Amino acid sequence: MFDDVAEKYDLTNDVLSLGQARLWRKEVAKAVDARPAQKVLDLAAGTATSSQPFVQAGAYVVPCDFSLGMLRVGKQRHPWMPFTAGDGTKLPFKDDTFDAVTISFGLRNIQDTDQALRELYRVTKPGGRVVICEFSHPTAAPFRTVYTEYLMRALPPVARAVSSNPDAYVYLAESIRAWPTQPELAVRLQGAGWQKVAWRNLTGGIVALHRGTKQTLDL
């Protein structure tokens, strides 16, 4: 499915989010706080648009995605980046590899969410951090109703106008509605081993930014 939308994926996201996607990426970059020489895993990176702020910060970034179509488009745009094909439930990296791991708008598309959280934990160095940016649930009831109506009624026709595979966005709308609430996802992060778990709502809860750290080994 994602292979079919790769070419216009970034444009479609900007249109469907009414320009908010760029703001969300900036907030992810602040939360990850990548530093020179650090290793950052950007899971579900797609064409690596989400990876660029970490590159600009001087970090070594590995864009990883399950979709070969996304990776091909990304490699055409950024031929020097180490694009890696990988399954979020069985990552092709050694234990304790990355200083930070992040995934934006991809966690809900991995079949086994809890296993993906455990895998992200496994490949993170002790003391390292995770940042998850994902669609969530607006906190105000009236706004939540309007948002749900937009997802199910307005999103498909808009997607038909700008996307190469509009049917994929019908699935995306349904997956957003079925996604856990902010507190529920926090509990699942804790269950995977992450500590100091917290979240922050963006755009009234349309998107939530979850964070956690991996315990430092006792000496």
Side-chain angles (χ1 to χ4, degrees), residues 9-90:
Y9 184 73
D10 296 317
L11 170 63
T12 304
N13 285 346
D14 279 342
V15 172
L16 293 178
S17 69
L18 306 179
Q20 292 295 298
R22 298 183 184 188
L23 170 64
W24 298 333
R25 282 196 292 270
K26 289 180 180 179
E27 294 302 320
V28 171
K30 290 179 185 177
V32 172
D33 191 25
R35 305 292 178 86
Q38 287 188 338
K39 292 183 178 179
V40 177
L41 170 63
D42 188 10
L43 184 58
T47 60
T49 297
S50 58
S51 305
Q52 298 314 304
F54 315 132
V55 174
Q56 293 164 7
Y60 176 80
V61 187
V62 178
C64 181
D65 204 285
F66 185 75
S67 167
L68 297 180
M70 286 284 191
L71 295 174
R72 279 193 291 267
V73 173
K75 196 67 175 178
Q76 291 169 2
R77 296 176 182 175
H78 313 287
W80 48 272
M81 294 193 72
F83 286 88
T84 303
D87 180 347
T89 63
K90 192 176 181 181

Side-chain angles (χ1 to χ4, degrees), residues 144-200:
R144 187 162 56 246
T145 300
V146 172
Y147 175 61
T148 301
E149 288 295 312
Y150 169 74
L151 281 178
M152 300 313 297
R153 295 189 180 186
L155 189 149
V158 173
R160 277 194 292 271
V162 296
S163 173
S164 53
N165 183 8
D167 289 341
Y169 287 88
V170 175
Y171 153 76
L172 291 178
E174 293 172 347
S175 70
I176 292 169
R177 292 180 66 187
W179 187 243
T181 64
Q182 291 89 321
E184 289 170 346
L185 182 56
V187 169
R188 295 173 81 160
L189 274 159
Q190 292 167 340
W194 295 100
Q195 298 187 343
K196 299 180 181 178
V197 174
W199 75 86
R200 182 161 64 92

Side-chain angles (χ1 to χ4, degrees), residues 110 168 214:
I110 299 176
K214 183 172 180 175

